Amino acid sequence: QEDLVLDAVIRAMENIDRTCHPYLQDIFNPVHTMPPPAARLRNGAIQIEQDGVALSMGVDESYVLSVNASNVHISAPTAWGALHALETFSQLVHFVHTNESGGFCGTAFASVVIEDAPRYPWRGLLLDTARHFLALDTIRTTIDALSYNKMNVLHWHIVDAESFPFGSQALPELPLHGAYGPDAVYSLADVRAVLAYAHDRGVLVLPEFDVPGHTASWAKSHPDNVADCWDYLRDRYGGELVWPAWDSVALDPSVNSTYDLVAALVEEAAEVFSSAFLHMGGDEVQFACWAAVPRINQWMEQQGFVHADGAPDYAAVQSMFESRVEEMVLGAGRRAVLWEEAYVNSAGLHNSTVVNVWSNASVLADAVRDGHDAVMSWGWYLDRQAPTCSGVCPTHWMWTWTWHDMYGVEPDDWMPSEHEPTDGTLLGGEASYWGESADDTNAANMVWGRAPAVSERLWSAKNVTDIQDAQNRIATFACRLKRRGVATAPTEPD
């Protein structure tokens, strides 16, 4: 893994150069004034205890960074910890003014030793590329910013009701008819390039293919596999099929070929994506859509999906659907991740399934008690003006201040008591960027003024809670991100 670390050294030196460049031309340029990175590695500046350890969820990301006036030394159990150490070093360096005419680029400390490790192994960002197609450059910039924030999961919400941009070769008709256009498709070569780019920066890519809800884009190529509730939606939305009507459409669970489609997609996703997890959605299934289709209700009665009083039991249908999806994912050698509704509406998910909590934080404790690992997204929705409450909520004078709310979300507050035995665990959490109101022009701005608050909550110790102290760090970090080419929203005046 020497090449991987060597590339990270070069990136760190380039970022230091960006920090100092406004003041000193070409200072710390790795080509001109720094010892060759390969030589620095051979001289023992970076020591990795276990070479060749693969990037995976739960890999040891700890490191020790020692800096003094003449030397920088990094030791880490794995290359992935060394990448974090290099990132920390690049952020220690800043321009120090010594007088009106000059200064030098260095650290604020004569010497410092940092021993560091993340609090949670899962520190992610959900990126929605279905509501608006995002250019590959935007995705790469997002991955760069994830690594700068020591976040290690890109939850790629790649398809949804509005479009199907995943360039499936197993089901080519889905992107052909479901994408916004031929230029709004991620080919499998594109996807693999994103995976390689993320891997080299210590970022795991978790793909999400949301079923059975949020599947209107499937109807353009497979109308017989999507519930025919269009007339119901026209009535509900004033006679027109306008957004957000599309979000209410779900797959038809009464048609056997529906499961064949999902199985083919799962098989291909497991082949393309190296992640140990596949996110298969399960959120916001609009039972009213199924209720509006007589054929589905007749099938439910025949199959016994009814309550004791004979009323249709739509939750039982979703439970059956999710169980079949879990079998597909397990058969592909992966663990399923499902949104909380799949857990709430289920008669019992497989114990390997990870529950992604987003709308009801109290579900977190229930899922962990039931033996499921969990991921926290509640309170960290970047598209919300009031991310930590429901209904009519107080908002902030400036939308960037919502990072205060996000910083105050403590996952342990929603976990079972430490004295209560549980078989599941909280893996960590994610900030979520939903794309209804953001595209290439403002995606970074929407995310990176506030996502660092989530990153710090997931990396730092539980007792790191001083909001004013965090304000200083996050404001400084926003400036640093902009120097690195990430169009970050400011959090306070310069």
Side-chain angles (χ1 to χ4, degrees):
Q1 294 176 317
E2 182 171 314
D3 287 345
L4 182 142
V5 177
L6 172 59
D7 288 344
V9 170
I10 294 172
R11 289 196 301 272
M13 295 300 103
E14 289 173 343
N15 283 329
I16 289 172
D17 189 49
R18 292 187 182 102
T19 297
C20 300
H21 182 76
Y23 309 99
L24 296 176
Q25 182 71 26
D26 286 337
I27 191 93
F28 279 132
N29 186 298
V31 175
H32 297 132
T33 61
M34 295 294 289
R40 291 167 63 81
L41 289 174
R42 284 195 298 271
N43 291 338
I46 300 177
Q47 294 182 335
I48 297 171
E49 296 172 13
Q50 305 168 47
D51 189 34
V53 176
L55 179 64
S56 62
M57 181 55 57
V59 70
D60 193 332
E61 299 175 87
S62 65
Y63 66 88
V64 178
L65 170 66
S66 302
V67 181
N68 58 40
S70 60
N71 200 356
V72 177
H73 185 268
I74 290 168
S75 62
T78 70
W80 314 109
L83 264 58
H84 292 316
L86 286 163
E87 181 55 44
T88 296
F89 174 61
S90 76
Q91 294 183 31
L92 286 177
V93 177
H94 65 286
F95 187 79
V96 180
H97 291 275
T98 55
N99 53 52
E100 292 183 1
S101 60
F104 65 93
C105 211
T107 70
F109 311 97
S111 64
V112 62
V113 177
I114 297 173
E115 298 184 27
D116 204 7
R119 180 181 174 195
Y120 292 107
W122 188 307
R123 308 174 308 282
L125 171 75
L126 179 148
L127 189 69
D128 175 2
T129 60
R131 274 49 184 261
H132 291 93
F133 181 82
L134 297 179
L136 289 173
D137 279 348
T138 299
I139 297 175
R140 283 190 286 265
T141 298
T142 301
I143 293 168
D144 288 336
L146 284 168
S147 68
Y148 302 154
N149 281 268
K150 298 190 177 72
M151 299 173 87
N152 67 335
V153 177
L154 174 65
H155 176 168
W156 192 353
H157 188 86
I158 193 167
V159 302
D160 208 287
E162 288 75 17
S163 75
F164 196 102
F166 175 66
S168 172
Q169 292 182 355
L171 302 167
E173 67 279 5
L174 283 172
L176 177 65
H177 299 287
Y180 287 127
D183 295 331
V185 175
Y186 304 106
S187 69
L188 295 192
D190 292 335
V191 172
R192 291 188 173 104
V194 168
L195 297 179
Y197 193 87
H199 172 271
D200 289 350
R201 286 152 183 79
V203 175
L204 296 160
V205 179
L206 169 71
E208 181 183 352
F209 298 93
D210 199 351
V211 293
H214 291 275
T215 47
S217 60
W218 298 47
K220 298 174 183 179
S221 58
H222 292 278
D224 293 340
N225 297 107
V226 175
D228 186 7
C229 61
W230 305 105
D231 288 342
Y232 155 75
L233 293 174
R234 286 189 185 92
D235 291 342
R236 180 180 174 186
Y237 289 94
E240 298 290 335
L241 286 177
V242 296
W243 182 84
W246 313 317
D247 280 343
S248 298
V249 177
L251 294 177
D252 189 334
S254 70
V255 179
N256 287 333
S257 59
T258 297
Y259 303 96
D260 297 333
L261 284 175
V262 177
L265 186 59
V266 167
E267 182 178 357
E268 183 175 36
E271 179 184 333
V272 173
F273 293 89
S274 57
S275 169
F277 304 87
L278 288 179
H279 202 310
M280 298 304 297
D283 64 314
E284 296 182 323
V285 181
Q286 302 300 312
F287 293 159
C289 178
W290 285 345
V293 183
R295 184 186 68 206
I296 292 177
N297 286 275
Q298 292 166 6
W299 167 82
M300 289 176 62
E301 186 174 359
Q302 293 168 0
Q303 298 296 318
F305 293 116
V306 293
H307 292 288
D309 62 0
D313 187 350
Y314 298 106
V317 174
Q318 182 177 5
S319 179
M320 175 276 300
F321 192 100
E322 305 298 356
S323 292
R324 295 189 65 167
V325 169
E326 286 178 312
E327 291 173 4
M328 299 171 195
V329 173
L330 287 167
R334 301 292 190 269
R335 291 178 64 184
V337 184
L338 295 172
W339 292 110
E340 68 187 50
E341 294 94 323
Y343 165 76
V344 171
N345 291 326
S346 174
L349 295 177
H350 192 276
N351 59 12
S352 68
T353 295
V354 178
V355 178
N356 195 172
V357 176
W358 72 277
S359 69
N360 183 355
S362 64
V363 173
L364 183 64
D366 293 335
V368 170
R369 286 190 192 99
D370 283 347
H372 294 285
D373 291 340
V375 172
M376 181 84 155
S377 296
W378 179 88
W380 294 328
Y381 267 38
L382 298 166
D383 58 320
R384 291 198 59 190
Q385 185 70 19
T388 57
C389 69
S390 302
V392 179
C393 304
T395 60
H396 295 277
W397 187 269
M398 295 192 297
W399 68 272
T400 53
W401 287 355
T402 56
W403 79 261
H404 290 210
D405 300 324
M406 297 176 187
Y407 192 78
V409 173
E410 172 47 57
D412 272 359
D413 291 346
W414 300 98
M415 287 286 284
S417 163
E418 61 182 11
H419 303 295
E420 186 176 350
T422 60
D423 293 324
T425 187
L426 176 61
L427 296 175
E430 297 179 346
S432 296
Y433 157 86
W434 294 102
E436 287 90 345
S437 59
D439 57 16
D440 285 323
T441 65
N442 66 340
N445 189 278
M446 289 283 289
V447 172
W448 294 114
R450 297 167 297 151
V454 181
S455 170
E456 180 163 309
R457 181 55 53 237
L458 294 170
W459 179 283
S460 297
K462 182 178 179 179
N463 62 1
V464 179
T465 58
D466 188 311
I467 195 77
Q468 188 55 56
D469 196 32
Q471 170 70 51
N472 297 333
R473 285 194 300 278
I474 288 175
T476 300
F477 189 59
C479 294
R480 191 181 298 275
L481 287 176
K482 278 181 278 199
R483 290 196 187 103
R484 297 182 179 189
V486 181
T488 305
T491 58
E492 63 179 27
D494 289 339

